[in-house]
Structure formats: structure tokens, C-alpha cells
Amino acid sequence: MSKNKGEQPAVGTFRNENFKRRTRYTAVFIVLLAALFVVIILNINTGNVHISVGQILKIIFSGGNGVGTEYNIIWKIRLPRILMAAILGGGLSLSGFLLQTFFNNPIAGPFVLGISSGAKMVVALTMIYFLQHFAAVSSYVLIGAAFIGSMIATLFIILISRRVHHMGTLLVGGIMIGYICSAVTDFIVTFAEDSDIVNLRGWSLGSFSGMSWDNVQVAVIITGICLVLTFLMSKPISAYQLGEAYAQSMGVNIKTFRVLLILVSSVFSACVTAFAGPISFVGIAVPFLIKRLLNTSKPIVVIPATFLGGAVFCTVCDLIARMAFAPLELNISTVTSIFGAPVVIFMMLQKKRGN
Amino acid sequence: MADYYFHMNNMTVGYNKKPLIKDIEIGINKGEIITLIGPNGSGKSTILKSISRNLELLAGCVTLENNEIRDMTFRDLSKKMAVMLTERIKTEYMTCYEIVATGRYPYTGRLGILSKEDEDIVEESLKRVHAVELGSKNFDAISDGQRQRILLARALCQQPEIILLDEPTSFLDIKHKLELLAILRSMAKEKNITVIMSLHEIDLAQKISDKVICVKGDHISLFGEPENIFTYDNIRDLYSIDNGSYDPLYGSIELPRPKGEPDTFVISSCGKGIPVFRKLQKENAAFIAGILYTNDLDYELAKQLASEIIEEKPFCSISEENIQKAKAAIDKCSRVIDAGVEIGEYNQGIQEILDYAKQAGKLYNN
């Protein structure tokens, strides 16, 4: 076909436009990075104990070898918490993005489909079992438990989606699975021993509080691997956006791809749930906002931008959760719902109008 | 195994292990245009999905250049075969350019980034379907017909040797239908690309195809060149038409002929009768046509629409017998329409009939 250049007009009509798009992508990335940076600084600098910026910088660059109350607040409490909010927020958003790809619907997400609640249930069971028999639970065990829980819920959802093709019905199915799992969790929590409850209550409502550097390390490893995998999948995802049949005709091995999509998405949401409990609406709202901002659904730009966007969204929400009614702390889902749910409503209204 | 470029070898296709169409045995040469025709739900799409590996075969195999396509990797196959489907695709924020660019998938690297050359091919594909101006539009915001063209450009962008199209002309207006088929034809002839497609428009199928596959019931009822397939009986049979007719000569479809005792006699020649016949058909007024030479344009349509034809062999003067027949018909009818008949050396007899009708006071000029 490339020999067919005799025709008017000259090739290159879209060069300019492609350039404009790329400029826009770059701008969005710069804005997101800047926002993340600002929010992190703001986050470190905000709290019940006021610490000056100079001191903060000194503590950060001390590399974990300081002493004193200020040091402990910054290094042992605020910093891991912020990093976790950023990492897990990014992971959660990508988990949503992958589910949306899988179900070919922008309203799919780990929370509305009951996947987070499934993870929550198995984690609660595991926690109680381990705390009764051993002194502590390792992060990996909790992530494993959360992964099993998310897979169970996901498989249920896939089974339902085989029978019903209407997305609304599927969502109702997911919400029901979520309720069942939450009910089971509440039941377990009610009958758990007093010492367990303190841990479980806060966690089962969702919170980034009480994160340690060990947690950060585990989250970085797992989320990092998944992020790389997701990014490497951006090409088949772009083909899959046109539907299964087209994707296959372009050379995608659909069966393998679908399995990988679900596995990665489940690991993402498992990691989040294991550490911070179920967090609502981030998985739907962030990918939607990012696509709008970039004005594209090209996975190769949407994936990293969604991760960054999720990080910004969750660190902002965590800041609000911490500070809005300080010293009282809100659970994180309260804040993400306030911002996320209206976005989802807006999305549905817009879709209706589009049709 | 015979040496075909693309060979459906004793293939059985269907859904969920239930066979729908059995024992399909069809060989296709490179650069041919093959059209699947048949009633709705006959399984044309199922066949296309099966040969594109979207559905698993229930029996038999499909070979491309003597390689079983089942054994090829999806990636290798995608460099040889592209598809264009009827299913609607849901996209968000994707421009037509981006849709077309997905056709480069088999050729780009791990991350799917387009090279300059890829970008040129995308643009040329858009140009081939005359849709360059749609490139920057959002795919959700264009008409169905435009979408169809973009999807064709996407398939072309994949630079396939064989292209499968499911109902490519649906949603298109007549201009774009012709344009699309012209593109396919030039692709097949200039670039030796093999085209296999399903079509609803049998008139177009007759004109574009090198070979035609008729799908009916649980088997391929006919396969061959259009000259042999498009006969009056085959088409009526294939689509079970009992309410209308098919004219194999022009590939046109006619509504059923008016019923009842004919009350109008139409005298015409050289195609002048066609609008009159159609008008009478719409009024549901049965009529007799005559005296028509069997090589007259009017004769072909009269065969589909007239209750009775008084016919004469070409280039002969009109026989006394036919004149008497015509006069009898005039007696029987309450009106005679002269659609503008030409009278020359051979058909002097027509004048006699016109005069006869005039005397009876039944002659109307169209």
C-alpha cells in the first residue's frame, strides 16, 4: 500500500494533530506529577503536630536515622501513610481500569462488583484465625487471603456475566455479592474477641492509618510488578477495546489475555484491601476522569496516568479524612465516596444522553 | 488436498457443539471475490466467524496456502487475514484515526507504538476509503455508514492477503455501497487480495462476485459462478420467495404481479412500457402486455408483472395469429394503453391493433 503515493494530498495530514495530542498527554502528566508532589508535601506538613518545612526536609534526608517526637511523627507515621495512600490509590485505579476493559463497561470496578468485599471477607477470616493462633499476621498472608477473596468474588461475577449480558443486572449482582460478603464480615467481627476487633473495625471500613515501612515495601513490590505487567498489556488492551472478535483477528490470544487481565486486576485490589480495607469508587472515578483529561482511551498513556491520578486522588482524600474533623479521623471510603460517587452519577447521565 | 489458496475442507460449523451447517467443501483461489448469500439467520456470519477462528470448527479444517489456520499463531494469521464485522463496537474517546491505526497491531512492537511508516499506512488506508476528513473525528460521533468505511480502512491497514467482511454494505446508502464494492473490487484485482463476504443485496452480489456461496438450511445449497447461481428458480428457492419475483437478467427484485382478471392491455416497445407496468402493479391492476418482441426491454419486466404476454420472435413481422390474439384481448379489456410504441418496417401489425382499439374507443395514450 505504501507504493500508492500517486494520489493527492501528501501524506502527513495527521502529523500535526498527533503532535498536538502528544503535547496534551505530556501536559497532563506534568500536571499530575506536580499535583502529587504538592499533595505529598502538604500531607507531610499537615497534622495535629505542626512541624516546619525545614525540619521535615532534614528528617526526610536523614534516611531513617533520626530521633525525637518530630522524627517519629514524620518518619514512622506520616511518610509511610502517604506513600501507601499513593501506591494503593494507583493500584486501585488500575484495578478498576482493567475490570472496565474486561467487561467493556466504564462502570465496572472492584468495589461495585463486590470484589473488594470478597477480599475483605477472606482477610477478616484469616486475621481472626491467625491472631488467635499466632501473635501476628504477615502482610503476604493477608494479601494472599485478599487475593483468594477477590478471585472468588470475581469468578462469581464472571459466572453471572455469562448468563446476563445487561450491564445493569451485572452491577446489581456485584452489589449483592458485596452485601453478602460484608454481612459475613460483620458477623465474624461481631463474634471476634475484643482484642481483634480494634484492628478489624477500622480496617474493615477502610483506612490508610497505621501503615509501616514494611507495609510500604511489600506494597511497592507487588504493585510495582502489577504496574509493569499492566503497562506491558497496553497493546492487547488497545485491541481488546474494539471487542473480542477484532482483538483476536489482530493476533491477540484472547483466552490467555482475559485470564491475565483478571489475575492482575485481582492482585491489585487484593493488595489494596489487605492493607487499607475496601475503598469505594476510586476504581471507577479515576480512570473516567483521566480519560477525559487526556481525551483518549489509549492504554499506553491512560495506564500510567491512571496510576498517577489514583495516587493523587487517594492522597488528597486521605488528607481530608485526616484533617476535616481532626482529631477525629474519617474512614477513607467516606471521603472517596463523596468525591467518587457524583462522578459515577455524572458518567451514567452522560452515557444516557449519548445513547 | 487440492491446491487451493484458501480451502474449507469438509468443514462443519455451529455454536456450542451444535452443528449449524455441515460438510462445507469450498476451494477459493487467490484474488477472488466470494460472496455468501442466503436468508437471515442462515449462518453466513457463523461461517465467517468460523473461518476467522473466532468460532471453533466442529469438524473438518480450513487451510490457507496449505497450512491449517488452526495451527497458525494468532499473530501470524493476523498478518494474512483481516476482518470487518457487523457487531457494533463501543469506544470511548477514540478518533477514527486511532481506530484505523489498530490495524497496525500485528506489525508494531511490544508497546504498539506507531512508526512513521505505520502512520503513513494509516493515512493511506483512510484515503482509500475516502475518509481522510473523518480521521480526527470521534468514532462515536460519526454516522453508521461512515463507521463502516472506517472499519474497512482499519482492515486495509492490517495489509491482509485475505479479508473477511460480514455484511459490509449494511447501513450504507447506495453511493457508499457502490463505492465500498468498487474498493473491494480494485483491491482484489490490483493487489490480488482475496475477499470473502456476506451480502444481503443479491443484485450487488451478482455483479461483484467471482463466485457465490448459497447458504440454506444445514448445508451449502449452491456454490459456483454467479452466471449459474443467479437464476430465477435458484433465488426463489434460496430465499423461499413466494411473494414477488427475481429477474436474473438485471438482478432486480419485483413485487408480486397483480392478481385477478386482466382489464388493461398495454401496447409498448423499447422500454417505454416499464413505467406503465410498474404503475399498474402499484394500482394492483392486472394487465396484458403485447405485442412484445422477446428481445424487447419491456418483455423482461412483463414476464414478471403481466398476467399474459402476446409475444413475437425478434426481427419478424407480426403474425396474423398474434394480431387476432391481440384483438381478442382488446375486446376483453376495458382500456388499451399506448405506452408510446415505435412502429417500423417489421411491426406494421401494431398499427392495425392501435386502429382497432381506437375504433372501439378504448385507446389511451400514456
Side-chain angles (χ1 to χ4, degrees):
Chain A
M1 201 170 289
S2 41
K3 285 169 207 129
N4 197 23
K5 279 187 181 164
E7 283 179 322
Q8 304 276 320
V11 166
T13 320
F14 294 99
R15 290 265 151 82
N16 193 21
E17 198 168 311
N18 288 340
F19 175 74
K20 269 192 207 152
R21 297 188 138 258
R22 278 167 206 150
T23 314
R24 180 173 184 151
Y25 303 155
T26 317
V28 170
F29 274 102
I30 291 171
V31 167
L32 285 174
L33 280 170
L36 186 62
F37 182 74
V38 169
V39 176
I40 286 180
I41 296 297
L42 212 66
N43 238 321
I44 298 176
N45 202 19
T46 320
N48 297 328
V49 181
H50 186 79
I51 303 165
S52 74
V53 179
Q55 235 177 330
I56 289 172
L57 287 177
K58 225 169 85 187
I59 290 167
I60 289 176
F61 288 113
S62 74
N65 294 316
V67 281
T69 324
E70 277 95 359
Y71 164 79
N72 279 337
I73 289 174
I74 298 289
W75 190 259
K76 293 205 172 145
I77 299 176
R78 289 192 195 163
L79 211 51
R81 178 175 181 153
I82 295 154
L83 290 178
M84 279 306 255
I87 296 163
L88 298 182
L92 194 57
S93 308
L94 278 184
S95 170
F97 174 75
L98 294 175
L99 284 172
Q100 286 146 25
T101 307
F102 185 88
F103 289 109
N104 189 19
N105 192 302
I107 305 177
F111 191 80
V112 287
L113 291 178
I115 295 166
S116 300
S117 306
K120 178 172 86 167
M121 180 181 74
V122 180
V123 170
L125 277 171
T126 316
M127 260 195 194
I128 286 175
Y129 177 82
F130 269 79
L131 291 176
Q132 271 169 0
H133 294 82
F134 313 95
V137 203
S138 102
S139 304
Y140 287 105
V141 171
L142 288 185
I143 292 176
F147 177 71
I148 291 168
S150 357
M151 281 311 288
I152 292 171
T154 309
L155 292 179
F156 258 109
I157 285 292
I158 293 174
L159 275 182
I160 297 175
S161 77
R162 290 246 167 102
R163 300 198 161 234
V164 293
H165 295 285
H166 189 249
M167 193 59 202
T169 323
L170 189 66
L171 283 182
V172 173
I175 291 166
M176 291 307 129
I177 289 177
Y179 273 120
I180 294 170
C181 295
S182 293
V184 173
T185 315
D186 285 346
F187 186 79
I188 300 164
V189 170
T190 310
F191 287 96
E193 280 170 28
D194 287 347
S195 58
D196 307 334
I197 293 177
V198 184
N199 270 328
L200 276 174
R201 267 273 150 74
W203 169 82
S204 74
L205 292 169
S207 167
F208 287 118
S209 69
M211 296 293 175
S212 70
W213 279 105
D214 287 342
N215 294 154
V216 175
Q217 197 185 12
V218 175
V220 165
I221 292 170
I222 293 185
T223 313
I225 292 171
C226 287
L227 177 61
V228 171
L229 278 177
T230 310
F231 191 69
L232 290 178
M233 278 201 289
S234 59
K235 189 181 168 187
I237 290 173
S238 74
Y240 198 77
Q241 283 171 336
L242 298 192
E244 234 174 85
Y246 275 114
Q248 191 183 55
S249 81
M250 290 181 236
V252 181
N253 189 332
I254 292 294
K255 277 183 192 154
T256 322
F257 174 72
R258 280 172 68 99
V259 170
L260 210 62
L261 209 58
I262 279 301
L263 281 180
V264 174
S265 163
S266 294
V267 174
F268 264 137
S269 64
C271 187
V272 177
T273 312
F275 287 117
I279 300 173
S280 52
F281 296 111
V282 177
I284 305 177
V286 172
F288 170 76
L289 292 172
I290 289 295
K291 279 183 224 164
R292 261 204 107 128
L293 216 55
L294 292 166
N295 193 24
T296 186
S297 55
K298 250 193 235 161
I300 196 160
V301 282
V302 170
I303 288 169
T306 297
F307 190 86
L308 276 178
V312 173
F313 188 82
C314 281
T315 40
V316 169
C317 287
D318 189 44
L319 183 67
I320 295 170
R322 243 163 21 97
M323 296 317 297
F325 298 100
L328 210 72
E329 200 170 294
L330 298 172
N331 62 57
I332 186 74
S333 278
T334 309
V335 185
T336 55
S337 299
I338 286 172
F339 291 111
V343 173
V344 177
I345 292 170
F346 173 73
M347 248 168 93
M348 298 208 291
L349 290 178
Q350 203 191 29
K351 248 189 110 195
K352 269 271 149 59
R353 209 171 20 164
N355 294 340
Chain B
M1 205 179 290
D3 227 15
Y4 288 113
Y5 170 69
F6 189 83
H7 192 191
M8 302 174 214
N9 196 347
N10 242 323
M11 180 177 85
T12 296
V13 301
Y15 286 98
N16 302 326
K17 311 227 155 117
K18 273 184 219 132
L20 194 65
I21 303 157
K22 290 181 204 152
D23 308 322
I24 304 169
E25 176 62 45
I26 283 168
I28 294 168
N29 300 316
K30 203 164 193 312
E32 280 185 332
I33 296 184
I34 311 291
T35 309
L36 287 150
I37 60 168
N40 284 337
S42 59
K44 303 185 291 283
S45 299
T46 314
I47 293 179
L48 287 173
K49 278 184 189 159
S50 301
I51 58 183
S52 64
R53 264 180 92 183
N54 210 308
L55 276 178
E56 268 179 51
L57 299 183
L58 301 183
C61 66
V62 178
T63 60
L64 179 64
E65 292 168 325
N66 288 326
N67 297 315
E68 258 197 60
I69 63 164
R70 202 167 20 198
D71 298 336
M72 296 167 79
T73 63
F74 284 111
R75 191 184 170 93
D76 286 342
L77 183 63
S78 67
K79 288 186 185 170
K80 303 248 178 191
M81 183 192 277
V83 299
M84 176 177 159
L85 308 164
T86 36
E87 277 128 77
R88 283 229 167 170
I89 55 176
K90 271 202 290 183
T91 58
E92 300 174 279
Y93 307 108
M94 272 180 107
T95 63
C96 295
Y97 181 90
E98 287 174 326
I99 298 275
V100 176
T102 61
R104 297 309 298 158
Y105 190 96
Y107 305 95
T108 52
R110 172 147 278 297
L111 292 177
I113 294 166
L114 298 180
S115 67
K116 283 267 178 302
E117 199 199 339
D118 288 323
E119 285 179 2
D120 292 347
I121 294 168
V122 173
E123 193 176 332
E124 277 165 28
S125 308
L126 276 166
K127 213 178 284 168
R128 279 212 77 127
V129 301
H130 314 293
V132 178
E133 74 286 354
L134 293 177
S136 46
K137 292 226 173 90
N138 195 320
F139 188 70
D140 293 335
I142 59 174
S143 73
D144 286 325
Q146 290 171 326
R147 262 181 226 154
Q148 220 59 356
R149 280 193 281 156
I150 293 300
L151 290 175
L152 179 66
R154 195 210 65 80
L156 294 181
C157 197
Q158 214 171 317
Q159 296 185 314
E161 291 176 15
I162 180 164
I163 183 164
L164 308 179
L165 307 100
D166 194 2
E167 312 273 357
T169 52
S170 44
F171 306 122
L172 294 183
D173 62 26
I174 189 72
K175 169 184 148 90
H176 290 116
K177 258 178 205 172
L178 293 173
E179 213 169 82
L180 184 127
L181 294 179
I183 294 166
L184 291 178
R185 168 131 315 267
S186 73
M187 256 170 36
K189 295 310 144 202
E190 287 161 24
K191 298 185 192 294
N192 215 16
I193 293 174
T194 310
V195 177
I196 306 177
M197 65 179 157
S198 59
L199 276 185
H200 264 312
E201 298 87 348
I202 50 174
D203 50 336
L204 297 176
Q206 179 183 19
K207 284 153 203 168
I208 190 170
S209 318
D210 294 310
K211 299 223 175 81
V212 177
I213 302 171
C214 301
V215 188
K216 197 193 183 191
D218 66 349
H219 62 287
I220 299 298
S221 63
L222 289 162
F223 170 59
E225 284 163 10
E227 296 74 50
N228 305 322
I229 301 286
F230 289 93
T231 66
Y232 182 79
D233 288 332
N234 281 346
I235 296 304
R236 271 185 76 107
D237 221 38
L238 179 64
Y239 288 95
S240 317
I241 302 173
D242 45 20
N243 194 17
S245 61
Y246 169 76
D247 173 5
L249 206 57
Y250 299 111
S252 65
I253 313 294
E254 296 299 337
L255 291 164
R257 79 181 81 222
K259 291 198 179 82
E261 200 53 36
D263 194 36
T264 309
F265 186 72
V266 184
I267 302 172
S268 70
S269 68
C270 310
K272 293 228 173 78
I274 290 173
V276 180
F277 298 161
R278 290 246 155 82
K279 201 162 180 198
L280 289 168
Q281 194 281 334
K282 281 174 216 157
E283 288 165 4
N284 201 20
F287 64 93
I288 303 169
I291 297 169
L292 288 171
Y293 285 114
T294 52
N295 65 343
D296 199 293
L297 278 175
D298 288 347
Y299 178 74
E300 288 305 321
L301 185 62
K303 273 204 296 197
Q304 315 295 336
L305 295 184
S307 309
E308 192 186 327
I309 306 175
I310 302 167
E311 58 182 62
E312 188 58 80
K313 274 183 264 162
F315 313 114
C316 299
S317 48
I318 294 182
S319 68
E320 189 50 37
E321 187 198 344
N322 270 340
I323 289 175
Q324 289 315 316
K325 261 198 211 166
K327 281 182 178 171
I330 290 167
D331 290 342
K332 219 165 61 174
C333 295
S334 61
R335 61 177 172 171
V336 178
I337 297 173
D338 173 10
V341 66
E342 303 269 343
I343 296 177
E345 226 171 287
Y346 288 112
N347 63 347
Q348 293 293 333
I350 300 281
Q351 192 58 52
E352 192 184 333
I353 295 163
L354 285 174
D355 292 341
Y356 182 81
K358 202 169 184 180
Q359 269 169 17
K362 293 178 180 175
L363 187 66
Y364 298 84
N365 286 310
N366 190 39

